[in-house]
Amino acid sequence: MMSRCLSAALAGLLLLAAPCIAEQTGTPVFGRTDPAQYRDVEYGGGTLREMTLIDSALMGTNILYMKRGVIPPGAGIGEHRHENVEEMYFVFNAPAEFTVDGRTALLPAGSCVLCPLGSTHALYNSGDVPLEWLTIAVSKEKGRGDEGIVYGPVPKKAKIESPAPFRWERFDPTLCRWVGPAHDGKGLILNRRPWVDGNFGTNWVRVGHCVIPPGGSIGYHRHDGMEEVYYIMSGRGRSTVNGTTWDARPGDALPCTVHDSHGIYNNGTENLDLFVLMVSMKKDVLDSTNLGDDLSGR
């Protein structure tokens, strides 16, 4: 089996891997949100600050990037289009104006919006506090985004429609239901899959919302034809990938590449709230092998 060659660490923040297709070896890779690592960027609507948590070079599937940042009041991402990429925008702490194909809605904190292939889209912070924001992109072809993207203005005075005339979801634990044990994990977890098979034009499969109570877990398991990324929204836990276990905290993006054995255990006193990005090697082809470990002893 091919092994993955890891490059140098960015001060312990993020390791980037060479573009091999196999499980991680050595120290597992993860992205850790750190505002000190943000850099200034311009996307047509003023200066934002962001960092890359997950890079396409790490992944075997067509996950292109996961980026985390902050949008100041009155700033945003101008209208633009991707022909080779599907994007999803998340806002965590405050409402924001989302525009898809020229139509705008004001959505609450904890919302995400899907920007399908070929759609025009924009994001605007019309509030008075910095907007905590994350974006995910999945491409039609491995590692290929869109060149020469032209960003138009942010639609600051757009007509606000309600309900939103495009696909969006809210990450709210009260919308989840008890399921499990998840992959032979410990106890039940709250789970919801607001974005499921058939919603996407790429090999993107699902985005799931999971809430793991204290003492619970997503059990140790492996995928040989798909990849997952766990993003921790709140709470803390113990993440295990290929036999290595470490403390994971809010803002961590935990990539589980092809063939990785992985799972996560809530060893804290508060709920562990996370979403799971799932992308397959072949469109809509899923697999899972449980490994019989609830991770409570790690």
Side-chain angles (χ1 to χ4, degrees), residues 197-221:
D197 317 39
N199 282 172
F200 304 98
T202 62
N203 287 3
W204 201 328
V205 182
R206 298 171 181 163
V207 174
H209 182 198
C210 299
V211 181
I212 306 173
S217 70
I218 297 174
Y220 209 38
H221 64 287

Side-chain angles (χ1 to χ4, degrees), residues 14-266:
L14 176 65
L15 299 177
L16 297 179
C20 312
I21 299 177
E23 76 271 22
Q24 301 176 59
T25 59
T27 304
V29 179
F30 65 97
R32 174 154 287 173
T33 300
D34 180 1
Q37 301 295 322
Y38 289 176
R39 62 185 181 89
D40 291 347
V41 292
E42 295 273 352
Y43 297 126
T47 301
L48 320 179
R49 293 183 60 76
E50 70 173 22
M51 65 176 291
T52 298
L53 295 175
I54 301 297
D55 184 279
S56 65
L58 170 64
M59 312 305 295
T61 61
N62 291 359
I63 296 173
L64 191 62
Y65 56 73
M66 178 180 285
K67 297 180 181 181
R68 180 71 166 84
V70 63
I71 301 176
I77 301 170
E79 282 195 282
H80 63 287
R81 182 194 309 271
H82 298 288
E83 298 296 341
N84 296 307
V85 173
E86 286 181 304
E87 277 191 309
M88 188 174 285
Y89 291 155
F90 294 75
V91 294
F92 295 115
N93 65 313
E97 293 184 16
F98 293 84
T99 299
V100 179
D101 288 331
R103 304 180 71 180
T104 301
L106 178 64
L107 301 182
S111 295
C112 70
V113 168
L114 177 64
C115 307
L117 289 167
S119 66
T120 60
H121 46 277
L123 174 61
Y124 174 51
N125 181 4
S126 57
D128 56 6
V129 299
L131 183 66
E132 300 292 337
W133 151 80
L134 179 142
T135 183
I136 297 169
V138 179
S139 57
K140 290 196 296 186
E141 301 176 40
K142 168 68 178 166
R144 182 188 173 196
D146 289 282
E147 298 181 0
I149 297 173
V150 177
Y151 291 91
V154 172
K156 295 183 178 181
K157 297 183 179 180
K159 175 185 176 183
I160 303 298
E161 299 186 48
S162 182
F166 44 75
R167 287 181 286 178
W168 74 284
E169 291 289 346
R170 182 164 56 95
F171 282 80
D172 180 346
T174 66
L175 301 176
C176 299
R177 64 183 181 89
W178 292 102
V179 300
H183 297 292
D184 293 336
K186 187 175 181 182
L188 303 181
I189 68 170
L190 286 167
N191 184 65
R192 181 171 177 251
R193 292 175 175 172
W195 300 104
V196 296
D197 317 39
N199 282 172
F200 304 98
T202 62
N203 287 3
W204 201 328
V205 182
R206 298 171 181 163
V207 174
H209 182 198
C210 299
V211 181
I212 306 173
S217 70
I218 297 174
Y220 209 38
H221 64 287
R222 184 185 74 244
H223 304 293
D224 296 314
M226 59 179 285
E227 294 181 316
E228 295 181 310
V229 178
Y230 294 170
Y231 181 83
I232 298 178
M233 294 186 286
S234 65
R236 292 175 179 261
R238 298 278 288 166
S239 176
T240 299
V241 175
N242 294 336
T244 298
T245 301
W246 72 96
D247 292 319
R249 66 192 194 194
D252 280 0
L254 311 173
C256 310
T257 58
V258 175
H259 310 308
D260 281 346
S261 301
H262 60 279
I264 191 165
Y265 170 66
N266 184 353

